[in-house]
Every structure is written in structure tokens, then in C-alpha cells.
Amino acid sequence: MTHLPTEFPDFGLTPEQRRQAVRTHYWERPGMDGERGEIWCYTDRFSYRAGETVALHVSSTAPIFGITIIRDGGSETKLFEKAGIAARWQDTPDQCSVEGCGWEASFEFGIGDDWPSGAYRVTLTADGRDGQPAHCHHLFIVAPQLGQKPGRVLQIAATGTWLAYNTWGGSNHYEGITGPNRDQYARMVSTQRPWCRGFVVLPREAPRVPLEVAVPPRTVPRYPHMEWAFATGHSKKYASSGWASYDSHFFRFAERSGYAVDLASQHDLHFSPEILDGYDCVVFVGHDEYWTWEMRDAVDAYVTSGGHAARFAGNFMWQTRLEDEGRRQVCYKYRARAEDPAYRGGDVTRATNSWEAPEIGRPGSATFGLNATRGVYAGWGGCAPRGVRGFPVYRPEHWAFAGTGIYYGDLLGADSHVYGYEVDGLDFELRGGLPYPTAASGAPDGLQVLAVGMASQVEESADIPLKDQFLGDEDGRFTAETLFGEASDANLDKVKRGNGMIVNFPRGKGEVFHAGSCEWVAGLLRQDAMVERVTKNVLDRYLGKT
């Protein structure tokens, strides 16, 4: 088993800076690098197909820049390189996070017919004012052409969640500079802005969210990922979302393991649901929290007609809407019942609230078998900080565990810490030592619970002073109000104890496998043989190889 250090890592911050790292709102913005100079960019869309043209919007303190484009997969392949491209500094609206930057296009290039589907990492380099080069990283997706794809896997990148967490310009769906006091999260966020630092590339030593520390008793929680971000100039949210922290690890693992993998964005899924046609297996990974009604329709229809959905992901929480041809994502979240127009004469089923809100009538379990509101936090803050790091297995005889040697009661993926930081679950009961969803859980017919771990929606400990709680009970009370109409102590008590599950169930002619944890990809990143074997078992079954 992994032996954990007993002390938190030190990134050279003072106690006050450590508190700032967690408690304050900081973000990337034009001019932040001051005298050093800087360069930023975004593309006009998240994804393209072969033959289409990419418009690159650049703002730079230097008059020229160079560009390199690399396909980021099982190996890195350089597809494009050019130097001496003209650039200029472009004014940026104060509310660019909501409205978009509005920069003019600086450079255009075509997607070659020989560019395979995947993630393409853009690096821009310009001269800084201090004699050092200034860099910018961006990412776009080349989606597959339509048609039959025998033996190929389609991975759907969690672009809705990337967009929700992107701090560039000051606001996202969590914190922000919107509202009369410039202190509110944004209900709407734009795609027309750069990705924040840490979403595209990360050094290997960047901490993940779950704690890799054996927390001594009575310890005030620390958040190494936020401290590292503060110390190194990365986004506070780098570890919560993005290609670098999540989606990339499955894509690279699958290609290195010999699977043929294509990549598409959730925006492709929304506007072109036919992109699923022809695939035997579609995969969703990492932190995959924000979905539209149309995206769910596409997946439900695909599975019912015989497709196989493998979800190695957690936190299926929020319904969103897309506006302005997909350039703006809307999610009122905690303020939905008070502010979302869907509650005032609109279609309330499309309200941008939690999927489990009764008025929406479409809990996450109806698509993927599990609900976010019955899971949530594990392995960070005061939420099970010393809890299980892997999934406790109850049904080791299931086909997903073939060849692992795992036994009843074993932990799957504990060494690589696959359980956390947000997990999805169901209300369940134990009978004869085995878990079964309760009649009121909303579980689909035929669902089998393969593994169950504990989670919490509340930091509940006499050892942690209120001033040191980061999570507190706010999410728990929101869930209580969402499900039961009132955020009372009695209703909080009904929801504060959660769980994370691995489940499997049939739907129509198809099938769904769901390992409900954001951190499953950590097992692939850290080359955990047992986690790799389960992943391959699922892919092989769904591709018809077994």
C-alpha cells in the first residue's frame, strides 16, 4: 500500500498567503504580467472537422509571434509550425468572461485532411519585454467525420465543465466579478476567451485535489492544489477541470494501450448528436458536471438503440443551456429558482438547476444510473479526509473485475487514489452483505451496484473551526432545499451522508457502465494495473472484443 507523508507540502507561502490561496478570488486577465509582457489567444470554436478553417484570436504585447500545434495523444505529433505572424494588443471588455473578448482574428489555418481526430495543443511564443519569451497555451479538438467506426472508441471531452470552471477574465460559474458589487459568480459564461493557466498543460508535480497526506488528528484542512496554484501563477481551478488534469489521461492511456480513439466536444454532442452514430463505445471521463438536455437526449437515444456508454467520471450535477450558437453557456445554479427565466413563464424542465430538482423531472440516474446529490465530496477538506482512497468492492464476480484478482471487501484503486474528490451515488440498502438501490433511489431497472464508498456533503467536525471550513454545509443545505423544498436541519440530515458507486445496467438494446468518481483517471495516470484492467475490461466488452 502507498505510504503517505504526514506533513503538507510546502510551496514557500506564508500562512497568510496560504489562506489567500484558498479564500480569495484571483484570476488571469489582460495586463496581469505587467512589465514582462504577455500573449493570449482563443479559437472561434472548441472543435473542427477536417477541411475546416480555424480562426485564432490573439492579443499580444509583442508585434509578432510563432505558433506550434501538436496532437496530444499516446504520443506527441507536431502538425503545424509557423513563425513571424503579426499580432497586436487588443482591448478586452471588463466583462469578457460573460460577453467574450471580441478580439479580431489574427491568423487563420486549415485543418488538414490527414489530421486525425484528437486534441490539438497550441503554443504561441512571443518576445517578452524583459528579454524572456512569453508563452500562451490553447487547445482545440478535431472531431471525427461521420460514418461507421468499427472498433473505435469515441471520447466526449467535458467542455461544459471546462467552460464552467474557466477563470480567465474574472468570472466563471463559481466566483466572479459580476453583479453590482463585482463579487458574484457568472450565470452566463462565454467560449470566446482564452483557457486559464493549467487547463491545457501542467507539470507532472502539480497536485490533484484529493489529499495525498495522512492527515494527523485535529488537523485544520489544507488545500495543496490551491496553494500550488497561488505560488506558481496557475488558475485556482486548474485541478477541478480541463484537458490537462482530466480528459487527457484517458485519451493518452487508451492510445498507448492500442485502442483507436476519436475525440469530440460536448458542444458537438449538443449540436450534432449523430456524431455518436457508428460507434460501439462512447466514453466520458473525469470531472463531467455540466450538461444540456440535448446532450442527454443524444446519449439516451444512442444507448437505447444498442450503444454502450462507459462513464469513468463524477459529479453529474447541473443542467445548462447554450445560447448564441453555442458561444455562451447559461447556468444559474444556486440562484436558479430565484432568477432563471425558465421559472417565470418558460419551460421549467429546462431550468439550469440541479438535475435532481423535482420540477426538472430528469435525475442524472435516468441516464447514467447515479445522482450527484447522493454523492459529492471525498478525500479533501473536512469531507472524509482519511476515508477510502479506492472503491470498496461488493460484487467481485462481475465481468468488469475479471483478471484483477480482487475479492469481496477489497479496495479498487486505493494506491492510485481513484476515489474522490467528487463522487456520484444512490440511496441504497444492504441485504445479505450486498448493496441494492432502494425503491425510491431512482435507479434504472436492472442496475447492479458493484462497489460503494462513503462521501459527505458537509464538513462536520468539532476539530475544524468555522473560520477554517472551506466547504462547510452550504452544498448540503442547497441539496436539502432542492430535493425537499427547505434547507432545514432535518432535511440536511437526510442528504449530508453520501456515497460513490460503480454501477452497471442495461437500457434498451444497449448498456451503461459508470464508475462514479472524478478521479478514476488518476489510476490511469499513475499506471495502477488493477484500474487499467477494469478500464480495458469495459472497453473490450463494449467494443465486442470479449
Side-chain angles (χ1 to χ4, degrees), residues 28-33 38-42 56-61 89 92 103 106 124 135-137 168 194-197:
E28 303 88 326
R29 60 196 182 277
M32 66 180 291
D33 289 339
E38 59 199 45
I39 183 168
W40 305 100
C41 78
Y42 61 91
L56 189 68
H57 302 255
V58 180
S59 182
S60 171
T61 54
W89 187 253
T92 306
W103 300 341
S106 307
L124 303 190
H135 298 290
C136 173
H137 297 289
W168 203 94
W195 290 120
C196 58
R197 286 174 173 165

Side-chain angles (χ1 to χ4, degrees), residues 50-95:
E52 294 185 333
T53 299
V54 179
L56 189 68
H57 302 255
V58 180
S59 182
S60 171
T61 54
I64 59 171
F65 69 92
I67 182 173
T68 303
I69 301 176
I70 289 173
R71 184 181 182 275
D72 186 359
S75 59
E76 294 190 350
T77 308
K78 186 186 296 184
L79 272 296
F80 185 84
E81 192 167 31
K82 185 176 176 63
I85 305 170
R88 63 182 176 87
W89 187 253
Q90 304 204 48
D91 290 337
T92 306
D94 174 68
Q95 294 296 319

Side-chain angles (χ1 to χ4, degrees), residues 330-514:
V330 179
C331 195
Y332 285 83
K333 297 183 64 170
Y334 307 110
R335 302 293 304 162
R337 284 177 174 163
E339 298 178 7
D340 191 334
Y343 284 95
R344 298 193 302 275
D347 180 356
V348 74
T349 65
R350 303 302 178 94
T352 57
N353 202 333
S354 167
W355 284 113
E356 275 79 78
E359 62 270 24
I360 293 176
R362 198 177 188 184
S365 57
T367 294
F368 288 119
L370 300 175
N371 289 325
T373 58
R374 292 301 179 179
V376 191
Y377 305 120
W380 71 307
C383 293
R386 306 174 193 88
V388 294
R389 295 161 51 88
F391 278 101
V393 172
Y394 282 83
R395 289 184 166 90
E397 72 283 357
H398 188 270
W399 56 261
F401 303 131
T404 62
I406 204 163
Y407 291 86
Y408 175 87
D410 280 355
L411 294 179
L412 171 64
D415 285 351
S416 56
H417 206 163
V418 302
Y419 188 80
Y421 72 100
E422 294 179 331
V423 296
D424 292 352
L426 290 171
D427 192 34
F428 73 99
E429 58 193 7
L430 286 174
R431 300 200 303 266
L434 293 173
Y436 296 87
T438 62
S441 68
D445 291 343
L447 181 138
Q448 274 195 305
V449 180
L450 312 183
V452 185
M454 296 164 71
S456 176
Q457 289 209 46
V458 174
E459 280 187 307
E460 192 173 46
S461 170
D463 293 344
I464 308 175
L466 276 174
K467 68 180 180 66
D468 291 320
Q469 291 185 12
F470 174 67
L471 298 167
D473 65 2
E474 290 180 13
D475 285 330
R477 290 196 184 274
F478 169 74
T479 298
E481 191 272 334
T482 299
L483 298 183
F484 305 114
E486 185 184 358
S488 64
D489 288 349
N491 287 337
L492 178 65
D493 194 59
K494 297 176 185 176
V495 302
K496 66 184 181 183
R497 291 170 286 270
N499 61 79
M501 291 181 170
I502 301 176
V503 297
N504 175 223
F505 61 96
R507 176 185 291 120
K509 298 177 181 178
E511 188 175 328
V512 175
F513 178 92
H514 187 182

Side-chain angles (χ1 to χ4, degrees), residues 93-102 188-190 192 324 328:
D94 174 68
Q95 294 296 319
C96 62
S97 304
V98 179
E99 303 165 6
C101 290
M188 302 176 188
V189 291
S190 175
Q192 303 300 292
D324 190 20
R328 185 166 57 241

Side-chain angles (χ1 to χ4, degrees), residues 233-246:
H234 283 77
S235 168
K236 182 179 183 178
K237 297 297 189 183
Y238 84 87
S240 297
S241 187
W243 173 256
S245 280
Y246 288 99

Side-chain angles (χ1 to χ4, degrees), residues 16-30:
E16 178 55 31
Q17 286 173 323
R18 291 203 302 264
R19 189 169 184 84
Q20 281 182 278
V22 177
R23 302 290 168 174
T24 64
H25 178 41
Y26 46 97
W27 63 93
E28 303 88 326
R29 60 196 182 277

